[in-house]
Amino acid sequence: MAVGGFAVDGPGSSFKGKITVSVVITCIVAASSGLIFGYDIGISGGVTTMVPFLHKFFPSVLRKAAEAKTNMYCVFDSQLLTSFTSSLYIAGLAASLVASRVTAAIGRKNTIVIGGCTFLAGAAINGGAANIAMLILGRILLGFGVGFTNQATPVYLSEVAPPKWRGAFNTGFQFFIAIGVVAANCINYGTAKHTWGWRLSLGLAIVPAIIMTTGALLISDTPSSLVERGKLEQAKKSLLKIRGSDADVEDELAELKRSSEVAKAAHREPFVTIFERQYRPHLVMAIAIPFFQQLTGINVIAFYAPVLFQSVGFGNDSALIAAIILGLVNLGSILVSTFVVDRYGRKFLFMEGGIQMFICQVAVACVLAATTGVSGTKHISKGYAVLVLVLMCTYAAGFGWSWGPLSWLIPSEIFPMKIRPTGQSISVAVNFATTFVLSQTFLSMLCHFKFGTFLFYAGWIAVMTIFVALFLPETKGIPLDSMDAVWERHWYWRRFVRGQPEH
Ligand code: BGC
């Protein structure tokens, strides 16, 4: 066992590095929960630009667009419309906080199933929406759904994966988010031509929900969660299944029982425990990582790409194609992360991705400033538009192998068992809260700051890259139950964790 050190394959723990067919299938099935979050991200951007949808639910947006002599940065600046999109994030925020209780009480797997069913109900209501009330109710249910699945899935993956390859397995979640985004973009491309297209786009969200819910029903819960809930026999079975029937799982089981006993002996409310001084480093990461992820500006780029290409006269179709290209690049780059994250580590990817995204954001700002002018009313030539697309793709690749998957991975792997669900909940809540604030503000920011918006995000990327370099310890290959060692060795965080009773 590698307690206190960085080696994974100490005597007695070699099984922890073994990849079995069963663990691969289990993790792919669990990771597919990312589909529903991705589908929603991809579908809502497109639907809110469909004229029949706006005509039925938000006629004022259409009136404003017709009257305004807008520059290209201000075309979609409507608070009402963004509040439709972001209502999901508020609901998700509340649900993710409740989800830590639910995952602790009924397990990771069951929480994923509940999330899938709630999302399914929301999708059905949205597809059949006859008025705004139904639309909002549907979105709230979708939000509850992703609040649950985004909380439970990364924890599930980190607990089930062999520690040596935990990073790779965990990137599966972001991979499925990206598949959901691309699928939704393609569907929007097909449905945008029809008056009822928005209904189909929204209603089809039941498909990813059915896929992931059915999958989740077929997998067993994580050994940690089963031990925590006193189901020792089932925990052993689950371990044998994922580690291989010939594996010696006794050591790992004993370690889980030990962690669970420590957790039970604490008798404290996890939301109180997590604020103890010894967990300060963990808490800071659970808040900072998702906060920074949103400040990379990924959702702004994703939203802005079609608007930009439309405004330079590429037409509606090519605008959506630009979005699909971006989505595909993002998808491919996550696979790079899958192969690199456990070999070169999390920090390497954060650094490389950060520098790449920073350069691209600054370059996009420069090209836009030079070509469209400060007012944003001059037209940018197709050649420059293609250059901007290339820069945005390079940016999306940087995000896809760094902040995209790693923002789900880090919070799910740094906490001790007793506060792991709580830490992940806080992290998801911060992700949703930041997405909400940014989506409420970025359209007016784009309208006022114009190309400066990209410099704003570039500045944040510089800050977060320095933050990671200084404060994030490397967690590659370390078993979850030995994770305390990384803080004890860290030049800054060790003062918080040293001399604390064992957790
Ligand atoms: C982020 C989302 C983003 C998506 C893009 C996720 O990790 O949390 O905000 O839209 O990646 O693929």
Side-chain angles (χ1 to χ4, degrees), residues 117-460:
C117 293
T118 322
F119 190 93
L120 194 108
I125 294 178
N126 266 352
N131 49 43
I132 286 240
M134 283 178 80
L135 210 56
I136 300 286
L137 175 66
R139 277 203 81 67
I140 291 174
L141 289 175
L142 297 182
F144 284 156
V146 290
F148 275 66
T149 52
N150 287 8
Q151 192 274 348
T153 311
V155 171
Y156 185 101
L157 294 171
S158 283
E159 287 182 343
V160 162
K164 200 171 174 181
W165 305 111
R166 186 175 57 241
F169 280 85
N170 207 292
T171 57
F173 184 58
Q174 180 74 10
F175 187 73
F176 276 99
I177 294 181
I179 293 184
V181 172
V182 174
N185 282 332
C186 295
I187 288 171
N188 275 345
Y189 181 70
T191 62
K193 299 173 183 67
H194 307 282
T195 45
W196 41 265
W198 62 269
R199 220 178 253 294
L200 193 59
S201 286
L202 294 180
L204 278 177
I206 61 169
V207 176
I210 291 174
I211 295 175
M212 52 93 18
T213 311
T214 315
L217 283 169
L218 300 176
I219 53 179
S220 59
D221 204 357
T222 73
S224 318
S225 173
L226 290 165
V227 168
E228 213 182 354
R229 292 182 291 129
K231 299 180 190 276
L232 297 182
E233 264 314 298
Q234 274 174 269
K236 188 168 178 181
K237 269 198 208 135
S238 165
L239 263 180
L240 283 170
K241 199 168 151 204
I242 53 178
R243 302 283 180 244
S245 50
D246 53 343
D248 176 9
V249 296
E250 292 306 328
D251 275 0
E252 194 172 359
L253 195 60
E255 195 59 44
L256 291 176
K257 281 194 223 159
R258 192 192 65 89
S259 302
S260 155
E261 276 153 22
V262 173
K264 289 207 173 99
H267 282 309
R268 283 198 78 170
E269 161 61 44
F271 272 101
V272 174
T273 308
I274 207 165
F275 285 97
E276 282 171 15
R277 183 177 160 83
Q278 57 177 320
Y279 300 121
R280 200 59 44 78
H282 312 61
L283 185 62
V284 167
M285 291 303 155
I287 295 172
I289 299 282
F291 175 73
F292 283 145
Q293 187 208 41
Q294 289 306 312
L295 281 159
T296 57
I298 183 66
N299 289 314
V300 180
I301 291 276
F303 183 90
Y304 185 62
V307 178
L308 175 80
F309 292 101
Q310 212 168 331
S311 74
V312 297
F314 270 41
N316 252 334
D317 272 7
S318 356
L320 274 166
I321 289 174
I324 293 171
I325 295 175
L326 267 182
L328 286 174
V329 170
N330 183 31
L331 190 60
S333 61
I334 298 165
L335 289 178
V336 174
S337 193
T338 309
F339 289 103
V340 171
V341 69
D342 295 307
R343 291 194 172 83
Y344 299 110
R346 286 71 167 139
K347 283 186 86 161
F348 168 77
L349 284 169
F350 269 126
M351 299 288 89
E352 199 289 330
I355 295 169
Q356 186 170 328
M357 285 192 287
F358 175 82
I359 295 173
C360 292
Q361 291 273 31
V362 173
V364 168
C366 293
V367 174
L368 289 181
T371 53
T372 65
V374 177
S375 62
T377 44
K378 279 194 219 145
H379 265 206
I380 146 173
S381 70
K382 287 208 173 165
Y384 278 116
V386 171
L387 175 62
V388 172
L389 180 62
V390 170
L391 286 170
M392 286 185 173
C393 286
T394 316
Y395 164 90
F399 178 85
W401 58 57
S402 63
W403 284 89
L406 300 184
S407 305
W408 300 105
L409 169 64
I410 302 289
S412 73
E413 66 178 6
I414 54 174
F415 284 95
M417 190 203 258
K418 64 177 171 186
I419 47 170
R420 193 173 299 140
T422 317
Q424 183 68 22
S425 280
I426 293 179
S427 193
V428 177
V430 171
N431 181 314
F432 285 167
T434 320
T435 312
F436 172 77
V437 173
L438 291 186
S439 57
Q440 278 309 119
T441 51
F442 94 81
L443 286 173
S444 21
M445 188 165 142
L446 198 59
C447 186
H448 294 108
F449 284 16
K450 306 189 172 71
F451 61 85
T453 310
F454 297 92
L455 295 178
F456 170 82
Y457 288 110
W460 276 106

Side-chain angles (χ1 to χ4, degrees), residues 19-38:
I19 298 180
T20 60
V21 176
S22 171
V23 79
V24 172
I25 295 175
T26 305
C27 285
I28 292 178
V29 171
S32 73
S33 326
L35 282 176
I36 54 174
F37 185 42

